[in-house]
Amino acid sequence: DAGVIQSPRHEVTEMGQEVTLRCKPISGHNSLFWYRQTMMRGLELLIYFNNNVPIDDSGMPEDRFSAKMPNASFSTLKIQPSEPRDSAVYFCASSWDGAYGYTFGSGTRLTVV
Amino acid sequence: QQPVQSPQAVILREGEDAVINCSSSKALYSVHWYRQKHGEAPVFLMILLKGGEQKGHEKISASFNEKKQQSSLYLTASQLSYSGTYFCGTSSGSARQLTFGSGTQLTVLP
């Protein structure tokens, strides 16, 4: 298995632009998580999907952030409009039912200038 | 609430032992441990479910005391490859999503 695949690996964008991050979970995993990592705030959960349904989105910072999971093999995290404070590494992780270890993707390093 | 990890950082010589602690103010269902090397993604080490079990593989093991809502990660005879930041992640009740601690930076020197 290729693991959790995220794209792009790096994204540099200007403030106000729309940013879309993509994630392909491990086949057979039914739980998908989006986390954001910064030095100041550590690893923060943004949103959790189970069987493609959002279960907990309490970590989504504000309306500028949205996430979708149209099918079991694909998820997106969108930021519109982006702001410099959104700069961070965004990780996608998947798991079987969340009761087993998470497999993290390589992350997307987002820089908003 | 975020679990509290201690210590924040530890420096060891190769072959020495280390203990990293993780405590929560909430009743825990599970505790996960991950290691992250600089510029890489966190990598799963082990999971402990409520029941006070202890797990281990090779020279890394962990315990879970659900009454005290604490878990400890034990690294024995540390190797250079053990260097990195160790995170505990906890879940409570029926929730499956993890809340991560702030991490413990472990440095193993030759």
Side-chain angles (χ1 to χ4, degrees):
Chain A
D1 200 325
V4 176
I5 300 172
Q6 289 187 246
S7 63
R9 288 296 306 273
H10 302 273
E11 177 82 38
V12 180
T13 191
E14 291 186 347
M15 184 172 64
Q17 296 298 304
E18 177 180 295
V19 176
T20 299
L21 310 182
R22 297 172 176 80
C23 175
K24 177 178 167 54
I26 289 176
S27 176
H29 282 186
N30 66 346
S31 296
L32 184 138
F33 311 86
W34 283 99
Y35 282 86
R36 177 171 68 177
Q37 187 174 37
T38 61
M39 287 294 292
M40 291 298 295
R41 300 174 70 90
L43 272 165
E44 299 176 276
L45 176 69
L46 298 176
I47 188 166
Y48 157 45
F49 290 91
N50 187 258
N51 293 321
N52 313 337
V53 176
I55 303 300
D56 180 4
D57 65 354
S58 59
M60 296 287 264
E62 48 201 89
D63 291 346
R64 297 186 298 107
F65 284 68
S66 63
K68 293 182 180 179
M69 191 163 186
N71 57 61
S73 58
F74 185 65
S75 177
T76 59
L77 178 69
K78 186 177 293 187
I79 308 172
Q80 165 64 17
S82 57
E83 295 183 4
R85 60 187 166 133
D86 301 331
S87 297
V89 179
Y90 290 80
F91 286 107
C92 173
S94 71
S95 171
W96 167 246
D97 204 33
Y100 296 86
Y102 292 5
T103 300
F104 282 81
S106 299
T108 295
R109 181 173 294 276
L110 174 66
T111 304
V112 183
V113 298
Chain B
Q1 282 93 338
Q2 187 180 40
V4 177
Q5 284 187 238
S6 63
Q8 288 187 323
V10 59
I11 300 175
L12 303 171
R13 293 281 180 189
E14 218 175 348
E16 293 181 338
D17 302 341
V19 180
I20 300 171
N21 300 301
C22 174
S23 63
S24 174
S25 59
K26 299 168 77 170
L28 299 177
Y29 172 76
S30 72
V31 179
H32 294 217
W33 286 97
Y34 293 79
R35 177 171 59 209
Q36 183 178 30
K37 293 186 180 281
H38 184 69
E40 299 180 6
V43 173
F44 173 70
L45 294 176
M46 64 188 75
I47 181 173
L48 300 103
L49 300 177
K50 112 179 156 168
E53 62 182 295
Q54 182 154 351
K55 278 198 170 179
H57 69 91
E58 297 183 349
K59 297 174 183 174
I60 301 177
S61 62
S63 63
F64 178 21
N65 186 326
E66 67 180 273
K67 283 186 180 176
K68 291 186 178 180
Q69 295 157 196
Q70 291 176 347
S71 178
S72 294
L73 185 71
Y74 307 94
L75 300 101
T76 58
S78 57
Q79 306 168 12
L80 295 176
S81 61
Y82 287 5
S83 292
T85 302
Y86 289 77
F87 293 95
C88 68
T90 60
S91 69
S92 301
S94 59
R96 292 295 178 263
Q97 61 273 40
L98 296 178
T99 302
F100 284 93
S102 57
T104 296
Q105 189 171 350
L106 182 83
T107 304
V108 181
L109 301 174

